[in-house]
Amino acid sequence: MLAKGQGCRVYDADNVAYVDLLAGNGSNLLGYGNQYVMDAVRRASSLGLGSGFHITAEVELVELLGELVPGMAPWVVTSSELAAWELALRWCRRDTGRRLVVLFDGNRRGSVECFQVSASAPLGASQALVGGVADEVARLVRVAPSGNFDAFEALLGEVGVDTAAVVLDPIAAQFGVVPPDAEYLHRVQDLIRKVGARFVLDETITGFRLGRGGAAEAFALEPDVAVYGGALGGGISTVSAVAWASSRRVTVGDELPPPPQPVGVLSASATLSVLRNDAVHQRLDERGAQLHTGIESLAERFGRPLRINRIGSILAAYFSRQPVTDGNSFARVDQDAWSRFGRYSREAGLLLPSRSPVASFLTHAHGVKDVEQALAAMEQALRRMQKDDEV
């Protein structure tokens, strides 16, 4: 239970501070209590408008989005990722006249019902992972193994003519972070085009965090439609967006979801305005590299199989004797060791994800000294684990 946050720290009810590497699952990009975002919140509160209305500030937000992510238009801003995904997938089915959706097993699932499935038979036929997902929903989804192009090619060879959309999470967030191979991503993109499906890029974590243009810019991808969320709301409010490739000349229909709340619109505009400065992502990358190098050094010093996957300011650590690159290698991660590591780190003043597959995130508020403090807490945790093992 937390009482407040400031910069890169959160405080509990006893005013004990923790260096935070959760960052609201990556949504907090600039740090807690950022001046520009808080000014936006105060401005939103002064408007006297609640949810249910489109506000003039949406125009400013859409203009900023178009500036930072050129080549994508139109934009629809929504109040939730779920609403954004529903809009994007409906468009794919309507535009192609097809029904199937193809996912990868490393895709982030979020709260989208049709993403709550796993492969259960040859050629990616799926079954529900959680109770309440109808069999009819699962039957319209196929799941391909992440990083295995041959398997993906075989799957589309069978169901490509019936596939409306292929959804790609470029960092396979279900496995924490798996830095992608650019050539693989482009082969996937080309094959989607070949079978006539729509390429849907999941930018809900990577969007605006990997750079102003997200994964599309980082890996030179050209999705037909992309879904954004996470960092867009500045860690203050949930706000998402759907954008289509300008070349498709999409006209958005009349099935638009309810408008986002004013606080979400203004917080998003404030966040994007800060991201116009190139130094923001440069700082994020530098702190990510510092943390990455520091953890690797600690792992070597203590003789622990603690591996790091990182892309920019997104990082995942695993207790594993082999690199984590797909579902098979992820299944062999030592979750018990991570549980101890996370608990001991928290007791030393550092907040890490409670489970190993969940990524850690740095914010613009993390400085060199903050990362050093995080590494010192990890060192204490590894020392305690060493003492436990000696007993």
Side-chain angles (χ1 to χ4, degrees), residues 85 89 101-104 107 115 165-169 198 200 202:
W85 279 113
L89 295 178
V101 173
V102 173
L103 311 174
F104 293 88
N107 278 22
F115 292 179
V166 177
V167 180
L168 174 68
D169 172 355
R198 300 296 173 259
V200 186
D202 182 351

Side-chain angles (χ1 to χ4, degrees), residues 358-383:
V358 179
S360 296
F361 301 87
L362 289 157
T363 73
H364 186 244
H366 284 87
V368 173
K369 295 295 184 182
D370 302 310
V371 174
E372 289 176 352
Q373 184 176 339
L375 291 169
M378 292 181 184
E379 180 179 0
Q380 290 185 45
L382 290 170
R383 185 173 290 112

Side-chain angles (χ1 to χ4, degrees), residues 273-285:
S273 294
V274 175
L275 297 187
R276 282 171 160 167
N277 187 342
D278 291 334
V280 174
H281 288 102
Q282 180 180 346
R283 178 185 173 96
L284 286 166
D285 288 344

Side-chain angles (χ1 to χ4, degrees), residues 77-121:
V77 183
T78 69
S79 59
S80 69
E81 287 184 9
L82 179 58
W85 279 113
E86 289 176 342
L87 179 61
L89 295 178
R90 278 201 307 270
W91 173 80
C92 291
R93 286 180 167 131
R94 185 172 63 247
D95 194 53
T96 62
R98 303 172 180 182
R99 298 196 304 160
L100 290 183
V101 173
V102 173
L103 311 174
F104 293 88
D105 60 359
N107 278 22
R108 176 173 178 260
R109 297 193 177 103
S111 58
V112 184
E113 186 175 55
C114 71
F115 292 179
Q116 311 299 319
V117 298
S118 64
S120 62

Side-chain angles (χ1 to χ4, degrees), residues 273-335:
S273 294
V274 175
L275 297 187
R276 282 171 160 167
N277 187 342
D278 291 334
V280 174
H281 288 102
Q282 180 180 346
R283 178 185 173 96
L284 286 166
D285 288 344
E286 289 173 352
R287 296 291 75 75
Q290 179 190 357
L291 184 60
H292 187 166
T293 301
I295 296 174
E296 286 186 331
S297 177
L298 288 173
E300 182 178 357
R301 209 167 107 203
F302 285 90
R304 291 280 179 179
L306 182 55
R307 294 183 176 273
I308 307 299
N309 283 353
R310 180 181 70 89
I311 177 169
S313 61
I314 312 171
L315 177 145
Y318 315 83
F319 285 93
S320 174
R321 297 194 178 281
Q322 61 180 348
V324 177
T325 59
D326 55 22
N328 290 330
S329 54
F330 172 73
R332 291 189 281 274
V333 169
D334 187 341
Q335 300 291 352

Side-chain angles (χ1 to χ4, degrees), residues 30 36 85 159 169 186 270-271 286 310 383 388:
L30 301 179
Y36 296 100
W85 279 113
V159 303
D169 172 355
H186 282 268
T271 300
E286 289 173 352
R310 180 181 70 89
R383 185 173 290 112
D388 288 347

